[in-house]
């Protein structure tokens, strides 16, 4: 009987060393870019790879799949890092700015081959745009594809000549010493999947639904060679593992889809299904498309990847192409961009504020706000349009619309404007199947009210035909709400709120106090039943949020809505578009200028008011001074009159006599003579 050799420390160390030696260090440039990121992630999921890379832009997510990340690194330092790697991947399929660095890297490594401690592999991920100017093999048979067997016949698009020059340089450098330094060029088709990059504009336009149709620039008959980004990563992985003798490989799937077919499939999966033709030049007005992407979307090539199908056994994600796998691609788009619909129901007693809260939620999350009244009115309007505008031949849709319209009107007439449950559920199902509800989500306001209504709208069980059943089943999986928001309040609060509503609102809501009280009683009875709306959603593991409303002001308060937003999470939608950002900036700028103008006007008004006050005070002071001066002059006049009279009666006669005597005597000192005279003849001397 054989015995196992125990794992001694020496043997365990040897195994660890063997694993470390078998592990390859792989460098990838610009891991923040779309395809480089997914190539790195794909390789990180395979054993035996130690991933490192550079980053040129902001990182939007965690890079735990990388063992090391180089930012703002100098070339001499980067070259030393590359010398430590076994595999160097340079991806130039997205950004032309990487061309210069890729050429520098392959040249620097080629020049230092004598310093290599082991064999190295250089892989250049290029683009099929280096084939865009190629002539067909047979002018009489344009459907005959070009293959990488005849790569030497390729001709580049005028704007991609630097790409083809780099491809040739990479291939040439790999021929110097193939065992020590092997080089490969992987010419990638236009990449799609996992959130999208070059096709993102069309996915975003369809998802948002702002425009009824998605634009196709040009005739749309050009054939686009494509590849799923994971399949591209698989090709790169196989090149690393198998080290084929061939050094030029095309990486495209087997599809031969035209641009029109691709956009039509995207629009059908995410939007209205409609497309519209536009001039090719109009694509340059789209801010979301770069010149490199516009050139790529106008390529017209039939390509076939002969080598990868012969050399490798690839586990394809989308071998048949983008159109045939659109459902999967759309799911990847939603999941990777976190654009999953947010669906919730808001229920509660009458007059508790369901519509107020629902509107605030729909505005914050950009969701479809569904009320029963509006959904019924919209359905009837659509049915009337179909009935009034039939096709040339009346088909089943016409008769179905006519029959449903008749049933709806009869039910509303018979029940005083209220639909029977089975018709109401049919209307709401149709509404929930609309693209805005499926893409962004919805807030269902005030429905369902009963367990039966909830089951009819959201249960997988359906009594219709098999085709309708399958459709409904698929539909319900997408539209079962994630959240049930239950608002509640005391009966006294609800009665007071109804009584205090403005007359206009009272009329719009068709409220009658007796009717509200009856509905409130019915709601309380349903809440006490064995099967309730809450029970139904609880069985489906739908998150429940119950809020007690205590005042009318609380309904629109920041605290209440913030509690709801915190529970629902962040918005699952795109941020503002460039146009919306610019519009918001313009609005803020206009608001700032208006505020500054208002402040200036208020300042001018304040200055004018102060000037008027100063002028009024100055005028008052001037008037007071004039009055004081006049009073002083009058007082002075009174006081001087007595002095003048005294002088004229007593002083002047004596002074005149003295002056006369002085003139007659002619003394040597007239002043002294006059002074002595006045003293002797002073009339006050007694």
């Amino acid at each position: 009987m054989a015995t196992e050799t125990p794992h001694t420390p020496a043997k365990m160390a040897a195994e660890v060393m063997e694993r470390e030696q078998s592990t390859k260090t792989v460098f990838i440039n610009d891991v923040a870019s779309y395809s480089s990121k997914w190539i790195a992630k794909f390789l990180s999921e395979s054993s035996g790879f130690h991933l490192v890379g550079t980053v040129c832009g902001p990182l939007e997510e965690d890079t735990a799949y990388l063992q090391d990340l180089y930012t703002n690194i100098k070339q001499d330092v980067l070259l030393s890092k590359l010398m430590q790697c076994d595999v160097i991947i340079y991806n130039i399929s997205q950004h032309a700015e990487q061309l210069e660095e890729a050429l520098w890297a392959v040249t620097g490594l080629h020049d230092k081959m004598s310093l290599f401690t082991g064999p190295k592999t250089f892989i250049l991920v290029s683009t099929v745009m280096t084939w865009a100017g190629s002539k067909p093999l047979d002018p009489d048979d344009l459907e005959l594809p070009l293959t990488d067997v005849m790569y030497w016949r390729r001709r580049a698009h005028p704007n991609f000549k630097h790409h083809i020059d780099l491809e040739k340089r990479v291939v040439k450098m790999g021929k110097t010493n193939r065992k020590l330094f092997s080089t490969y060029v992987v010419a990638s088709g236009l990449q799609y999947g996992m959130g999208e990059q070059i096709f993102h504009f069309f996915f975003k336009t369809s998802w948002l639904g702002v425009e009824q149709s998605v634009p196709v620039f040009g005739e749309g008959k050009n054939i686009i060679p494509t590849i799923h980004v994971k399949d591209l990563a698989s090709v790169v992985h196989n090149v690393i593992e198998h080290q084929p003798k061939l050094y030029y490989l095309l990486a495209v799937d087997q599809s031969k889809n035209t641009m029109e077919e691709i956009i039509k499939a995207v629009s059908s999966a995410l939007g209205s299904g409609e497309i519209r033709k536009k001039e090719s030049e109009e694509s340059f007005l789209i801010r979301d498309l770069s010149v490199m992407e516009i050139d790529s979307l106008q390529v017209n090539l039939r390509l076939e990847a002969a080598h990868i199908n012969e050399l490798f056994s690839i586990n394809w994600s989308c071998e048949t192409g983008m159109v045939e796998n659109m459902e999967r691609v759309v799911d990847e788009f939603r999941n990777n961009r976190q654009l999953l619909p947010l669906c919730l129901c808001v229920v509660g007693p009458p007059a508790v504020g369901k519509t107020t809260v629902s509107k605030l939620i729909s505005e914050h999350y950009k969701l479809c706000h569904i009320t029963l009244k509006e959904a019924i009115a919209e359905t009837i309007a659509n049915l009337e349009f179909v009935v009034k505008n039939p096709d040339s031949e009346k088909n089943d849709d016409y008769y179905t619309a006519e029959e449903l319209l008749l049933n709806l009107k009869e039910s509303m007439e018979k029940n005083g404007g209220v639909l029977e449950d089975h018709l109401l559920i049919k209307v709401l199902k149709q509404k929930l199947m609309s693209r805005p509800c499926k893409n962004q989500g919805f807030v269902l306001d005030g429905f369902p009210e009963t367990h039966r209504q909830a089951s009819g709208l959201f249960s997988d069980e359906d009594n219709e035909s098999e085709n309708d059943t399958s459709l409904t089943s698929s539909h319900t999986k997408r539209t079962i709400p994630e959240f049930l928001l239950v608002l509640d309040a005391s009966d006294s609060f609800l009665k007071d709120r109804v009584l205090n509503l403005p007359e206009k609102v009272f009329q719009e809501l068709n409220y009658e106090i007796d009717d509200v009280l009856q509905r409130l009683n019915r709601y309380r009875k349903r809440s006490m039943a064995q099967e309730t709306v809450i029970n139904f959603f609880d069985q489906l593991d739908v998150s429940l949020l119950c809020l007690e409303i205590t005042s009318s002001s609380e309904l629109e308060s920041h605290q209440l809505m913030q509690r709801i937003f915190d529970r629902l999470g962040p918005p699952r939608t795109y941020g503002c578009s460039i146009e919306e950002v610019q519009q918001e900036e313009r609005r803020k700028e206009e608001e700032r200028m208006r505020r500054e103008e208002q402040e200036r006007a208020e300042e001018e008004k304040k200055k004018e008011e102060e000037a008027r006050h100063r002028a009024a005070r100055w005028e008052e002071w001037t008037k007071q001074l004039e009055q004081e001066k006049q009073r002083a002059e009058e007082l002075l006049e009174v006081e001087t009159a007595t002095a003048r009279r005294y002088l004229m009666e007593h002083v002047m006669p004596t002074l005149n006599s003295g002056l006369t005597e002085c003139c007659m005597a002619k003394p040597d000192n007239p002043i002294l003579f006059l002074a002595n005279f006045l003293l002797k003849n002073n009339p006050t001397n007694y």
Side-chain angles (χ1 to χ4, degrees):
M1 183 175 179
T3 58
E4 292 185 358
T5 304
H7 286 275
T8 63
K11 186 174 182 179
M12 293 176 64
E15 290 177 352
V16 171
M17 184 176 296
E18 183 179 353
R19 283 197 301 268
E20 289 179 350
Q21 289 176 350
S22 63
T23 300
K24 293 182 178 179
T25 301
V26 180
F27 168 88
I28 301 180
N29 73 309
D30 194 12
V31 292
S33 65
Y34 169 69
S35 52
S36 292
K37 174 182 67 177
W38 288 110
I39 292 173
K41 284 188 174 183
F42 185 90
L43 295 178
S44 68
E45 295 171 357
S46 304
S47 60
F49 293 111
H50 181 98
L51 274 296
V52 298
T54 56
V55 60
C56 299
L59 285 171
E60 298 179 355
E61 57 184 57
D62 183 35
T63 55
Y65 53 89
L66 293 174
Q67 302 297 322
D68 207 349
L69 186 64
Y70 311 133
T71 57
N72 299 322
I73 188 171
K74 295 182 179 179
Q75 283 191 343
D76 55 342
V77 179
L78 178 58
L79 185 57
S80 66
K81 299 291 185 183
L82 297 180
M83 291 289 289
Q84 300 171 14
C85 298
D86 301 294
V87 180
I88 298 92
I89 302 173
Y90 261 88
N91 179 12
I92 61 169
S93 63
Q94 284 185 253
H95 304 294
E97 295 82 2
Q98 296 295 312
L99 283 167
E100 185 178 348
E101 184 180 319
L103 176 59
W104 163 83
V106 71
T107 303
L109 291 169
H110 180 266
D111 293 342
K112 292 183 176 294
M113 277 195 299
S114 59
L115 302 178
F116 286 1
T117 56
K120 297 187 186 301
T121 302
F122 187 95
I123 301 175
L124 181 73
V125 180
S126 188
T127 169
V128 293
M129 292 304 291
T130 57
W131 291 71
S134 304
K135 295 181 180 180
L137 294 176
D138 186 353
D140 297 327
D141 186 6
L142 298 180
E143 294 187 0
L144 189 64
L146 296 167
T147 70
D148 40 9
V149 175
M150 54 197 77
Y151 77 94
W152 48 271
R153 294 189 54 170
R154 72 192 188 284
R155 295 292 182 272
H157 183 282
N159 292 339
F160 288 80
K161 290 183 177 179
H162 293 297
H163 288 72
I164 196 171
D165 290 342
L166 179 56
E167 289 181 0
K168 293 176 180 178
R169 294 284 294 274
V170 169
V171 170
K172 183 178 180 180
M173 291 182 188
K175 295 179 179 180
T176 303
N177 187 343
R178 193 72 186 265
K179 292 183 179 180
L180 192 60
F181 188 50
S182 57
T183 60
Y184 297 93
V185 174
V186 177
S188 166
L190 273 62
Q191 302 143 16
Y192 64 90
M194 306 309 291
E196 301 310 315
Q197 188 259 335
I198 194 169
F199 295 105
H200 177 243
F201 166 75
F202 307 102
F203 278 78
K204 180 179 179 180
T205 302
S206 300
W207 187 88
L208 289 174
V210 176
E211 300 182 24
Q212 181 64 22
S213 55
V214 183
V216 177
F217 300 106
E219 290 298 319
K221 305 301 181 184
N222 54 310
I223 295 175
I224 306 288
T226 57
I227 188 169
H228 193 283
V229 69
K230 278 194 170 182
D231 293 330
L232 173 61
S234 182
V235 171
V236 173
H237 177 261
N238 275 272
V239 171
I240 297 172
E241 289 292 326
H242 298 288
Q243 297 282 308
K245 292 182 179 180
L246 299 169
Y247 35 74
Y248 194 96
L249 304 170
L250 272 175
V252 294
D253 55 36
Q254 294 184 1
S255 68
K256 301 294 184 290
N257 300 132
T258 64
M259 190 66 191
E260 182 178 359
E261 291 172 343
I262 292 173
I263 297 178
K264 178 70 175 177
V266 174
S267 179
S268 298
L270 284 171
S272 64
E274 298 181 16
I275 60 174
R276 69 183 185 280
K277 300 289 183 67
K278 299 182 104 177
E279 295 295 330
S280 301
E281 291 76 12
E282 293 189 44
S283 60
F284 291 96
L285 302 176
I286 305 299
R287 295 177 181 272
D288 292 340
L289 293 175
S290 66
V291 175
M292 184 176 180
E293 291 170 341
I294 292 171
D295 291 337
S296 300
L297 292 171
Q298 293 175 351
V299 68
N300 186 18
L301 281 173
R302 288 181 179 270
L303 296 178
E304 185 175 306
H307 289 335
I308 63 172
N309 292 324
E310 294 174 358
L311 298 173
F312 310 138
S313 179
I314 297 176
N315 185 18
W316 287 89
S317 295
C318 298
E319 185 176 10
T320 54
M322 188 176 186
V323 173
E324 292 192 17
N325 296 278
M326 186 54 69
E327 184 176 351
R328 172 179 179 169
V329 174
V330 164
D331 286 340
E332 292 174 350
F333 167 74
R334 286 192 174 112
N335 291 327
N336 281 280
R337 292 187 176 270
Q338 291 298 301
L339 297 175
L340 301 176
L342 176 61
C343 307
L344 69 150
C345 296
V346 181
V347 298
V352 74
K354 299 185 293 293
T355 300
T356 300
V357 172
S358 297
K359 285 182 178 180
L360 292 172
I361 293 174
S362 65
E363 290 172 1
H364 181 76
Y365 288 96
K366 295 182 173 62
L367 306 179
C368 183
H369 179 208
I370 303 175
T371 63
L372 300 184
K373 181 179 179 181
E374 292 176 357
I376 294 170
E378 181 183 343
T379 302
I380 291 176
N382 292 337
L383 292 173
E384 288 177 340
F385 178 82
V386 172
V387 172
K388 292 179 181 178
N389 300 277
D391 297 334
S392 56
E393 297 181 2
K394 292 187 177 181
N395 51 29
D396 294 338
D397 292 338
Y398 173 85
Y399 291 112
T400 302
E402 189 174 35
E403 181 182 357
L404 180 57
L405 179 61
L406 181 61
N407 291 338
L408 292 176
K409 289 185 176 181
E410 287 180 352
S411 177
M412 293 181 72
E413 290 176 2
K414 184 170 62 175
N415 298 289
V418 179
L419 279 180
E420 298 172 22
D421 278 358
H422 72 282
L423 291 174
L424 181 58
I425 289 171
K426 187 182 288 288
V427 168
L428 290 176
K429 280 186 176 181
Q430 184 178 1
K431 180 64 177 178
L432 298 183
M433 283 291 289
S434 65
R435 292 298 177 186
C437 291
K438 292 174 70 175
N439 285 342
Q440 286 81 31
F442 61 83
V443 183
L444 185 51
D445 183 355
F447 195 87
E449 295 180 338
T450 66
H451 185 282
R452 184 177 179 180
Q453 289 176 342
S455 179
L457 184 58
F458 296 114
S459 176
D460 287 339
E461 299 177 0
D462 204 319
N463 296 323
E464 298 183 21
S465 65
E466 292 184 3
N467 292 336
D468 290 341
T469 302
S470 61
L471 177 62
T472 304
S473 177
S474 173
H475 149 67
T476 52
K477 288 179 182 178
R478 288 185 178 273
T479 56
I480 290 178
E482 289 183 62
F483 299 92
L484 177 66
L485 175 58
V486 181
L487 302 178
D488 205 352
S490 64
D491 291 356
S492 59
F493 167 78
L494 296 173
K495 294 174 185 177
D496 291 341
R497 186 166 187 267
V498 172
L499 293 173
N500 292 325
L501 284 174
E503 184 66 25
K504 182 179 179 182
V505 177
F506 210 91
Q507 293 175 356
E508 288 177 356
L509 298 176
N510 294 323
Y511 273 167
E512 294 291 343
I513 188 62
D514 294 336
D515 179 52
V516 173
L517 293 177
Q518 292 176 8
R519 289 167 55 196
L520 180 58
N521 290 332
R522 289 197 298 269
Y523 177 84
R524 296 303 183 197
K525 288 181 180 180
R526 288 194 298 264
S527 300
M528 300 299 293
Q530 185 174 359
E531 291 185 334
T532 65
V533 174
I534 295 178
N535 295 148
F536 174 82
F537 285 110
D538 187 53
Q539 292 173 359
L540 296 178
D541 293 328
V542 173
S543 297
L544 176 66
L545 176 59
C546 297
L547 296 175
E548 182 78 17
I549 306 301
T550 58
S551 66
S552 297
S553 60
E554 185 181 6
L555 282 171
E556 299 183 15
S557 68
H558 175 75
Q559 291 80 6
L560 175 69
M561 296 311 301
Q562 192 59 48
R563 285 180 61 190
I564 297 174
F565 297 155
D566 290 342
R567 183 64 180 273
L568 300 182
R572 306 172 188 176
T573 185
Y574 283 98
C576 295
S577 65
I578 295 175
E579 290 77 9
E580 290 172 333
V581 171
Q582 291 176 342
Q583 184 178 2
E584 180 64 17
E585 289 177 350
R586 286 195 297 270
R587 187 194 66 77
K588 289 182 178 179
E589 180 65 18
E590 290 173 357
E591 178 66 21
R592 184 187 64 80
M593 293 177 65
R594 186 192 63 79
R595 190 166 55 250
E596 290 180 353
E597 183 66 26
Q598 184 178 0
E599 290 175 354
R600 282 196 296 270
E602 291 177 354
E603 187 67 23
E604 290 293 329
K605 184 177 179 181
K606 184 178 179 180
K607 289 181 178 179
E608 291 176 359
E609 190 69 22
E610 290 179 352
R612 284 196 297 271
H613 283 307
R614 285 197 300 269
R617 287 197 299 270
W618 178 259
E619 184 177 356
E620 184 179 355
W621 292 340
T622 304
K623 187 176 180 181
Q624 290 177 355
L625 289 173
E626 289 292 334
Q627 291 175 350
E628 290 293 334
K629 183 179 179 181
Q630 185 176 358
R631 284 197 297 270
E633 289 177 350
E634 291 175 353
L635 180 60
L636 181 61
E637 182 69 23
V638 172
E639 293 177 350
T640 56
T642 304
R644 283 198 303 274
R645 190 168 52 252
Y646 173 79
L647 289 173
M648 294 301 295
E649 291 177 359
H650 301 285
V651 176
M652 290 307 296
T654 306
L655 180 60
N656 287 333
S657 299
L659 290 173
T660 302
E661 290 292 334
C662 184
C663 290
M664 293 176 63
K666 297 181 181 180
D668 294 334
N669 190 343
I671 301 280
L672 182 60
F673 178 84
L674 182 60
N676 291 328
F677 181 85
L678 292 175
L679 288 173
K680 290 178 182 179
N681 298 282
N682 185 355
T684 60
N685 290 336
Y686 299 103

